[in-house]
Amino acid sequence: MKTHFGLPADRLGPSALAVGSFDGLHLGHRSVLEHLLASARSHDLRVAWVTFDPHPRCVLDPANCPAQITTLEERLRLVRQLGVQEAIVLEFTRALAALTADEFMERLLAATDLRCLVVGYDFALGRARTGDVEWLKAHGRDHGYGVEVVEPVRFGEREVHSSEVRRLLTLGEVEKANRLLGREFAMSGLVEPGDRIGRDIGWPTVNLAVPPTKLVPGRGIYGGWADTPVGIHQAAISVGYRPTFHKAELRVEAHLLDFAGDLYQQRLELRFVARLRDEIQYPDAASLGAQIARDVEDTRRILARSQPHADR
């Protein structure tokens, strides 16, 4: 996959295209992209994808800027795996937001030989979201491209939206969120030095440096997988403030089962499979250590039903 930061300087050849923030790459987004891939194959077109960074709401309504379910790096990796050939990352600014739908499409058509635009049923672009599905269909008829509309994906009686995934993760309900994502929620970053509390009580952990815009699940203990440069390991994951030791900094750390080694300054991905329990303050380190032993066994039990696949 070729990644363009800004519209391509060299115009892309005949292309099928999808546009949007795609935060989370959840089942609804995947449905759009799968439709995009199928349309591109049937018409022998390049598969192109436009995403915005940062999230538009962070620019237009910064007080309500949503934490990212997937960072830009994570989104790019996921769409590469799906088969996207051309990824176009547009910096979302107030100037971009001020473009009319016609102005935005004029720029897009100058950069791509657009033949097919695939959108969700509620998609709209341009200032005040005037470029809705009906507008795009009319614009496409005048400018030589078709518009294909993908219906919403439902889980139970509710449509799948990023806002619901974000709500579930914030509550720590990772199993429900994973069903909407169609995969395990993941966090990735460098392993940073910790204060060695885990090692001192017999349960060494790796501490994940979390990107500042990344959504962090609700405080608690989770069972999941750690994808490391030296293999995939089961992991008992802690998200919280370590109240037993009266710490005030939020940490994401994990004890890797059956692992001995040094991962400092190496890249790690943690994938959350299930919530084990709430974060609890224990009377002493020994009591906490005994609970961690139970957490490790719960992790083994839960992950016996899970597959240690990598999303790379």
Side-chain angles (χ1 to χ4, degrees):
M1 182 179 79
K2 185 173 183 179
T3 301
H4 309 267
F5 290 92
L7 291 171
D10 296 325
R11 191 170 189 244
L12 298 185
S15 302
L17 178 69
V19 182
S21 294
F22 290 89
D23 185 22
L25 264 295
H26 54 59
L27 291 176
H29 295 144
R30 291 175 72 93
S31 178
V32 170
L33 292 176
E34 287 165 2
H35 191 108
L36 173 71
L37 291 162
S39 294
R41 283 194 298 268
S42 65
H43 296 97
D44 195 24
L45 301 173
R46 295 287 290 174
V47 182
W49 173 73
V50 175
T51 192
F52 303 109
D53 192 69
H55 192 287
R57 202 185 312 161
C58 296
V59 174
L60 301 176
D61 186 15
N64 293 300
C65 174
Q68 291 180 304
I69 303 167
T70 46
T71 64
L72 176 61
E73 181 181 0
E74 291 166 345
R75 273 179 283 154
L76 289 170
R77 174 163 53 84
L78 288 166
V79 299
R80 181 186 300 113
Q81 292 167 356
L82 289 174
V84 168
Q85 296 167 303
E86 307 279 351
I88 301 169
V89 180
L90 297 183
E91 181 183 6
F92 195 88
T93 63
R94 288 193 173 273
L96 184 66
L99 295 177
T100 65
D102 194 62
E103 290 169 334
F104 182 86
M105 289 305 300
E106 181 181 359
R107 295 187 181 190
L108 199 58
L109 290 170
T112 64
D113 182 3
L114 179 60
R115 303 294 179 86
C116 175
L117 180 65
V118 179
V119 299
Y121 75 103
D122 59 350
F123 179 81
L125 54 75
R127 188 171 64 227
R129 292 176 56 84
T130 54
D132 60 13
V133 168
E134 293 308 313
W135 184 93
L136 286 166
K137 287 180 177 179
H139 189 268
R141 286 193 293 270
D142 292 338
H143 292 83
Y145 65 91
V147 176
E148 299 182 8
V149 181
V150 180
E151 292 303 309
V153 171
R154 295 182 178 274
F155 200 90
E157 296 183 354
R158 305 184 69 171
E159 295 178 7
V160 178
H161 292 289
S162 297
S163 57
E164 178 64 6
V165 176
R166 197 175 288 113
R167 184 186 73 84
L168 291 169
L169 290 171
T170 301
L171 292 173
E173 298 183 17
V174 295
E175 291 167 284
K176 291 181 180 178
N178 289 348
R179 287 195 285 270
L180 302 187
L181 288 169
R183 66 180 189 285
E184 295 147 356
F185 172 73
M187 305 184 72
S188 58
L190 292 177
V191 175
E192 61 183 0
D195 45 25
R196 302 180 68 86
I197 289 175
R199 186 174 300 278
D200 291 343
I201 65 173
W203 298 101
T205 62
V206 291
N207 296 275
L208 192 68
V210 180
T213 60
K214 176 72 175 182
L215 186 150
V216 178
R219 291 163 52 189
I221 311 302
Y222 301 86
W225 298 100
D227 188 355
T228 81
V230 293
I232 300 174
H233 292 267
Q234 295 179 340
I237 306 167
S238 171
V239 177
Y241 293 92
R242 298 164 296 160
T244 301
F245 302 99
H246 309 288
K247 300 296 184 179
E249 180 185 1
L250 181 67
R251 285 283 182 87
V252 177
E253 54 186 329
H255 172 74
L256 276 55
L257 281 61
D258 307 316
F259 173 81
D262 185 355
L263 294 173
Y264 287 142
Q265 293 304 304
Q266 298 192 60
R267 192 158 192 84
L268 181 78
E269 180 179 74
L270 296 176
R271 298 200 302 277
F272 292 68
V273 174
R275 183 183 178 91
L276 303 181
R277 62 176 176 86
D278 292 340
E279 182 183 44
I280 300 171
Q281 181 174 350
Y282 290 89
D284 51 49
S287 299
L288 174 60
Q291 178 60 61
I292 293 174
R294 292 189 288 272
D295 295 338
V296 166
E297 291 311 307
D298 287 342
T299 296
R300 290 190 194 278
R301 175 178 52 80
I302 288 169
L303 296 187
R305 306 189 299 268
S306 177
Q307 295 296 318
H309 62 87
D311 286 332
R312 293 184 187 279

